[in-house]
Amino acid sequence: MLTITLSIFIPFLAAIFIPFLYKRIGRHIGWFVIIVPIALFILLASFIPSIANGETYEHTIRWIDSAGIHFTTYLDGLSLIFGLLITGVGSLVILYSIFYLSERESLGRFYVYLLLFMGAMLGVVFSDNLMVLYVFWELTSISSFLLIAFWYHRKKSRYGAQKSMLITVSGGIAMLAGFLMLQFLTGSFSVREIIATIGQYTDEPLFLFAMLLVLLGAFTKSAQFPFHIWLPDAMEAPTPVSAYLHSATMVKAGIYLVARFTPIFGTEMSWLYIVSGGGIFTLFWGSFNAVKQTDLKALLAYSTISQLGLIMSLIGLGSAALNQGADANSILYAQATFAALFHLVNHSTFKGALFMVVGIVDHELGTRDIRRLGGLMAFMPVTFTIALIGSFSMAGLPPFNGFLSKEMFFDALVNARNFDLFDASTIGILFLVVAWIASVFTFVYSMIIVFQTFFGELHIEKLEKQSTREASIGMLIAPSILAVLVVGIFFFPNIIGNYLLRPAMNAVYPTLAGAEGLAPKIYAWHGFESVALWMTVGVVVVGTILYKTLRYWKGIYTVAPMKWSLDSVYNALLETLENGSSFLTRFYMRGYLKDYLVYIFSFFIVSVGAAILLTGSYSFDFSNNAPISLNEYLIVFAMIVAAISILLVKSRKTAMILNGVLGYSIAFLFVVFRAPDLALTQAVVETVTTALFLLAFYFLPEWKKEDSPIRTKVFNGLIAISVGTIVTVLALTVQGNKMFESISSYFEDSYNLAGGKNIVNTILGDFRAFDTMLEVVVLFIAGIGVYTLIKLKVQKEGRDYED
Amino acid sequence: MKINDVILQTVTKIVVFIILTFGIELFLAGHNSPGGGFIGGLVLSSAFVLLYLVHDIETVRKGIPFDFKKIAAIGAFLAVGTGIGAVLFGEEFLTQAFDYFDLPVFGETELSTVMLFEAGVALTVVGVVVTIISTISEDV
């Protein structure tokens, strides 16, 4: 269906028009922007009934045919959930930011970035082609980078933006490599085609690498341990951005990817271990660290990390269903994925609401530090209510939707103990215990949000803005809608279950599609014999005790191992990389021509010398050599003496004249070897160059004695001798081994061919005149060059130039 | 101190013509004997250099009012132009032609387009060498 393809492009198109509209209508620009996500939401919602009936939609625009890259969009249950989240939460966030951002901000820029992000995110979830998916994936990274650094005059914003960019893009590149490996294995970029054929390739060694690399991309984007460190720093973004990107949409791109790729990689045990293990540990680590935060947004960031870990671990456990074909247990194991998708929806609602609440507190009171806040309940009743709903849902209490998904989470873990894949008594139990402890911490920090912000005493003198009033109605609408959803989903969970989660389950488990019980009914009440219920009771009891005694055990965070943070590892890594690379560069780029010549000649010695030695091509054949006459001996002897003397003389002029001796000796050699044209030219050119050298050296300072250490001299001498030896060996080898007859006999007929008896001249002027012509041009350029250089130097003295 | 180098100047007057004649001889003979455009050009320019040495730059410039940069440019143009000329006659680039003509004074003489090409080479050499030397010495 073209509609889906269009829905990706509409945000981009709208983004183009925003600068023009912003110039016209100024601060009301948000009201125009909000039309886009609302329209898209309605459009996507209209697909719900047909998707629930098991239909899927596909549309292809051919893009790069030769590479198999097509702009294919594919709408099924899984992408529909994400599409609805992106547009739905997007509408609410834009509504919220209309009231949140003051008109002094550069709103045009903000909405352009936001729409770019929305389009990119829709592209990620609707794309079927891996390359197109990757393009949109990186676009989300880039637009997120721009949004985090929206207040670019703040140092922390820039730091956070750079950090998130580095981490997510590194993961993205790894993912690209994984995609390419997949394409190499299966010959297709289409996700669905790969799903259909991947079964034949699971034994290939590349398969495991592809899996690890794709997971790296998903883990960095979804802030899984140890790549979670960018998310808390990304909280420097404006709060609507945090609510949208860093709780509801972008961080779930990794989860989408894992869910989408479960049919491809899910049959592997290592997939299950990595995804669920990584997720469980992230769940624990995030919730554990959230408790010690004093900034509300940082607390929410760690809470997001932890909840993402929860969803990730559930999807990992759910892949067990693919491990052993379709049997009765498969359906049971698949419940984990069902819980994951359900919690994904729930998390988007309550975390979005909580971020907006924190934004309101920040906006009205000028601080988000819980040590300064307190007693807001009395004059911010609506905000308090929403915060209460969101936090209690996050903690997993009834009657909020978090309770349902938390129960399902526990259920899935209890089921996981029965996996024949696990060593049921150890790893299964370990997962269950870690998850339960993490839930206790989740309960504790959820209570911190509510009680330390809204209860207790109001210390108005600690606040930056001394106004105590409720936020404007406009700002409260969006979080209220989300809060209503939080409660609504609790009472009517099966609407979501039936219409959204069931088709999504079919997408994650194509082999089990349509099986009875794949998408179960969601019950709030499991009966007293349910293990999950008692686990929740335990969480509440222990959590309450821990919260009450918080100040007694908070000391553990200052114990040494807890203070070591991954942030310092990241910073140290960056610093080491920078220092290391600049050290490495300074080590060889020393700025001395002498050093570079040493590199060049050493390379020559190593490459050519080694080639000669290794191939054994140094064979000399002197049988065809002409006899050497006396005058040749004399000339060569004179040259040797002159050449050695150059190295030893003290003045530059003497060296120059000795150089002239070499030149004239060569002219004599030309005479002896019967090359009159060359001899003439060599003699005159030698004269001219010697004269020019003497002219130029007149202005140079005295030739300084080289005072380099003896070691360097010996080294340079060795290099010079080696190069000379190699060139000599080369020349002798080439000279002695002629492989075919010379072609010069052709030119001997020059009088008939070119009308001249001087062969050299006919070659230069006729047979190979092209060379001569270009040499003339070279000479001309050199002359112009000398002229310009000298004249330009005269101008320079007038300071009429830029350094 | 003004040096009176009248002997040098007098000798130069004769020698310059000998050098110039030798240069033109080398240039013309190039097709059949050693010589040619390049060496001819070098010898010609040495005559100009000699003039620069004996007289000062201003005097030479008054006597020979050429811009040697332009001469070099004309030479390069001539060398490339002969190549293009061949194209105009439907031949490959830089194809040279020659033939024998019966000229009034010289008798049967060979004329060829190589001569034009060589003239380009010679002019460029003269122009460039004289330009370089006079520019550097002016800068001194």
Side-chain angles (χ1 to χ4, degrees), chain A residues 677 695 751 754-755 757-758 765 793, chain B residues 30-33 35 96 110 139:
Chain A
D677 294 273
L695 189 62
Y751 190 69
K757 290 173 191 151
N758 182 348
K793 198 191 79 192
Chain B
H31 215 41
N32 291 314
S33 324
Q96 312 286 15
E110 181 196 3
D139 186 48

Side-chain angles (χ1 to χ4, degrees), chain A residues 676-677 680-681 684-685 695 699 751 753-758 761 765-766 769-770 773 776 779-780 783 787 790-791 793, chain B residues 30-36 38-39 42 69 72-73 93-94 96 98 100 110 117 121 124-125 128 136 138-140:
Chain A
D677 294 273
L680 271 172
T681 315
V684 181
V685 167
L695 189 62
F699 301 97
Y751 190 69
L753 290 169
K757 290 173 191 151
N758 182 348
N761 192 265
D766 198 329
F770 197 71
M773 188 195 87
V776 166
L779 193 68
F780 178 60
Y787 180 77
I790 286 172
K791 294 292 167 190
K793 198 191 79 192
Chain B
H31 215 41
N32 291 314
S33 324
F38 195 78
I39 184 66
L42 277 175
K69 294 189 296 293
F93 185 67
L94 272 176
Q96 312 286 15
F98 64 92
Y100 297 91
E110 181 196 3
F117 183 75
V121 176
T124 312
V125 171
V128 166
I136 292 180
E138 255 173 72
D139 186 48
V140 167

Side-chain angles (χ1 to χ4, degrees), chain A residues 291-496:
Chain A
V291 176
K292 75 170 174 187
Q293 304 300 325
T294 51
D295 180 2
L296 277 176
K297 269 179 96 174
L299 194 156
L300 286 180
Y302 275 103
S303 136
T304 303
I305 292 168
S306 136
Q307 303 280 320
L308 291 169
L310 188 158
I311 300 171
M312 199 65 102
S313 68
L314 279 173
I315 295 183
L317 290 177
S319 73
L322 292 168
N323 252 306
Q324 303 177 314
D327 59 2
N329 281 339
S330 298
I331 300 292
L332 196 61
Y333 299 155
Q335 299 315 308
T337 305
F338 186 78
L341 295 172
F342 189 43
H343 194 68
L344 182 114
V345 176
N346 294 343
H347 177 250
S348 296
T349 54
F350 65 69
K351 192 53 68 65
L354 280 176
F355 266 111
M356 291 179 187
V357 163
V358 171
I360 288 170
V361 170
D362 190 13
H363 192 264
E364 297 303 320
L365 305 171
T367 183
R368 314 187 294 251
D369 193 329
I370 46 174
R371 288 167 300 190
R372 296 182 180 190
L373 295 169
L376 302 182
M377 184 172 59
F379 59 90
M380 290 178 118
V382 185
T383 315
F384 165 68
T385 314
I386 299 166
L388 186 83
I389 294 172
S391 302
F392 280 22
S393 176
M394 183 156 73
L397 297 176
F400 309 111
N401 58 7
F403 173 72
L404 301 175
S405 39
K406 189 68 73 94
E407 293 275 283
M408 289 162 71
F409 171 54
F410 286 145
D411 267 339
L413 282 169
V414 171
N415 283 335
R417 273 192 318 147
N418 305 327
F419 286 9
D420 7 1
L421 312 162
F422 281 120
D423 191 351
S425 55
T426 53
I427 301 178
I429 293 283
L430 188 69
F431 269 37
L432 199 57
V433 170
V434 172
W436 185 80
I437 294 172
S439 301
V440 172
F441 281 117
T442 307
F443 184 85
V444 173
Y445 72 68
S446 302
M447 294 308 113
I448 289 176
I449 294 175
V450 176
F451 288 100
Q452 301 205 357
T453 313
F454 294 97
F455 285 80
E457 287 186 20
L458 177 66
H459 299 285
I460 194 137
E461 72 284 351
K462 285 189 190 171
L463 305 176
E464 273 171 31
K465 297 181 184 172
Q466 261 93 33
S467 67
T468 48
R469 55 185 175 82
E470 181 62 286
S472 67
I473 293 188
M475 233 191 289
L476 289 169
I477 297 173
S480 303
I481 294 174
L482 285 172
V484 168
L485 274 175
V486 168
V487 181
I489 292 176
F490 176 80
F491 286 109
F492 306 102
N494 291 313
I495 298 178
I496 296 225

Side-chain angles (χ1 to χ4, degrees), chain A residues 42 50 60 96 122 187 202 230-231 342-344 481 506 527 599 629 648 673 675 747 775 781 800:
Chain A
I42 294 168
S50 50
T60 299
Y96 178 72
L122 287 172
T202 46
W230 65 267
L231 190 59
F342 189 43
H343 194 68
L344 182 114
I481 294 174
N506 289 341
Y599 302 150
S629 63
L648 306 174
F673 291 128
F747 299 114
E775 273 156 28
I781 291 171
D800 193 16

Side-chain angles (χ1 to χ4, degrees), chain A residues 576-787:
Chain A
T576 319
L577 274 178
E578 265 176 38
N579 291 343
S581 54
S582 66
F583 174 77
L584 190 71
T585 311
R586 270 201 305 269
F587 176 71
Y588 70 94
M589 297 295 282
R590 272 179 279 190
Y592 291 108
L593 203 57
K594 221 162 40 177
D595 292 342
Y596 302 144
L597 286 177
V598 167
Y599 302 150
I600 293 170
F601 284 120
S602 307
F603 179 76
F604 175 80
I605 293 167
V606 170
S607 57
V608 179
I612 291 177
L613 275 180
L614 290 179
T615 57
S617 46
Y618 46 88
S619 66
F620 308 133
D621 177 13
F622 300 114
S623 57
N624 286 332
N625 284 8
I628 306 170
S629 63
L630 178 67
N631 47 12
E632 286 161 21
Y633 272 119
L634 283 176
I635 294 169
V636 169
F637 179 73
M639 288 177 77
I640 290 172
V641 171
I644 292 174
S645 315
I646 287 183
L647 297 175
L648 306 174
V649 295
K650 298 266 187 294
S651 95
R652 195 178 267 127
K653 236 177 244 171
T654 325
M656 214 47 259
I657 287 164
L658 284 170
N659 197 41
V661 171
L662 285 178
Y664 287 118
S665 307
I666 289 175
F668 279 122
L669 275 182
F670 284 146
V671 172
V672 171
F673 291 128
R674 285 174 293 166
D677 294 273
L678 291 186
L680 271 172
T681 315
Q682 172 69 23
V684 181
V685 167
E686 189 58 41
T687 314
V688 172
T689 46
T690 307
L692 276 177
F693 275 135
L694 289 175
L695 189 62
F697 287 170
Y698 179 74
F699 301 97
L700 288 181
E702 268 305 295
W703 210 358
K704 257 188 254 157
K705 190 97 185 88
E706 215 181 329
D707 52 352
S708 50
I710 193 81
R711 227 179 43 195
T712 323
K713 274 185 180 170
V714 171
F715 183 63
N716 289 347
L718 274 179
I719 289 184
I721 290 170
S722 319
V723 171
T725 315
I726 288 175
V727 171
T728 312
V729 169
L730 267 181
L732 287 178
T733 309
V734 171
Q735 176 67 28
N737 299 281
K738 285 215 164 119
M739 303 186 69
F740 38 76
E741 280 301 301
S742 163
I743 58 163
S744 60
S745 56
Y746 173 78
F747 299 114
E748 282 164 16
D749 193 21
S750 65
Y751 190 69
N752 287 329
L753 290 169
K757 290 173 191 151
N758 182 348
I759 299 182
V760 175
N761 192 265
T762 48
I763 289 175
L764 287 179
D766 198 329
F767 295 119
R768 315 214 27 193
F770 197 71
D771 293 359
T772 315
M773 188 195 87
L774 290 181
E775 273 156 28
V776 166
V777 174
V778 166
L779 193 68
F780 178 60
I781 291 171
I784 296 292
V786 169
Y787 180 77

